[in-house]
Structure formats: C-alpha cells, structure tokens
Amino acid sequence: MEQTLSIIKPDAVAKGVIGKIIDRFESNGLRIATMKKVQLSRADAEAFYAVHKERSFFGELVDFMISGPVVIIVLEGEEAMAKNRELMGATNPKEAAAGTIRADFAQSIDANAVHGSDSLENAAIEIAFFFAQREIN
Ligand code: CMP
C-alpha cells in the first residue's frame, strides 16, 4: 500500500467542495488515512513549497496558499500517488482532462483546487512535514 499527500486548496475550501473532492478519492479506491483543516502560516507555505522558491510564481503561490484554510489529507491505496495525480488532472485546469478534479473545480493554475505529491519520495517528505506517524491510521 502506498501513501501520498493531498491538499484541498483555499479556492476549493471556499467553494464548499471539500466533500465532493473527498468523494472522488473514496469512490476511486483511495482511503483517508488522516486529515486536518489548517490555516497555513506564510512560513509553513514557504517551507512546504521550498522546492519552487526560485520560480517566478513562488510569491503568488505562497500568497494564495495562505489566503484561507486548506484541508491536508494522507491518501492510502494501491498506487495511491499515481492514482491521485490521475484524479487531479493537469496542473493547469485549462489542460486538465474532462472529469478530473481540476477540470471540474479549479479556476486557474494558482487556484487549482488540489495539490498532490509528484513522487513517492516527495510523498514521504510531504506527509512528514504535516503529520506525526501516530496521527496516521
Ligand atoms: P501544486 O501541485 O500545488 O505545486 C506547485 C503549484 O504552483 C502548482 O500546483 C500551481 O498551483 C502553482 N503554479 C503556478 N504557476 C505555475 C507554473 N507555471 N507551473 C507549475 N505550477 C505553477
């Protein structure tokens, strides 16, 4: 069984589609191993996205991620990392395949509804960033 990290971003939380997004996960064989709703601080967002700190969009990304609460989820299942990425669709919602979370719920490349780990190695790092082992079950 793999684990991966999902974040329901401020745009999707504000739109009231937390439940609809979680239903996509559960209906497609991904189990919620843990989750919490959090208001990220600027320091949290900058540290979480540190890999992007040299990119031109870093400032906007951090501003957006602290613009409201997020829901942070550990998903578990067979090939959970790849399955979550398939369910999310492309980073830019304009390029996301029909029926994916971003095609259905996202507005723009920043307000793109969800984040998902892009490798198993990063999934382990991202999960440990937000959760202690005893919180995951
Ligand atoms: P996410 O999967 O959370 O990882 C980094 C985020 O940066 C990405 O989703 C987008 O919301 C945001 N972003 C903004 N501009 C870009 C870009 N040009 N390329 C990739 N990600 C971008």
Side-chain angles (χ1 to χ4, degrees), residues 9 49 52 55 57 61 91 102 109-110 112 114-116:
K9 296 190 180 186
Y49 280 119
H52 294 305
R55 309 284 293 272
F57 58 81
L61 171 61
T91 304
R102 284 168 169 159
I109 197 161
D110 287 307
N112 67 348
V114 281
H115 164 81

Side-chain angles (χ1 to χ4, degrees), residues 47-114:
F48 180 75
Y49 280 119
V51 62
H52 294 305
K53 67 174 182 290
E54 306 304 333
R55 309 284 293 272
S56 58
F57 58 81
F58 183 67
E60 278 168 37
L61 171 61
V62 169
D63 285 346
F64 177 68
M65 291 300 288
I66 65 174
S67 66
V70 297
V71 176
I72 307 173
I73 305 171
V74 176
L75 296 170
E76 187 176 86
E78 270 178 42
E79 303 195 11
M81 191 277 295
K83 183 170 281 184
N84 180 41
R85 293 186 67 76
E86 192 183 311
L87 293 173
M88 288 194 299
T91 304
N92 185 344
K94 293 182 183 73
E95 293 163 13
T100 60
I101 292 169
R102 284 168 169 159
D104 290 345
F105 302 118
Q107 290 93 52
S108 68
I109 197 161
D110 287 307
N112 67 348
V114 281

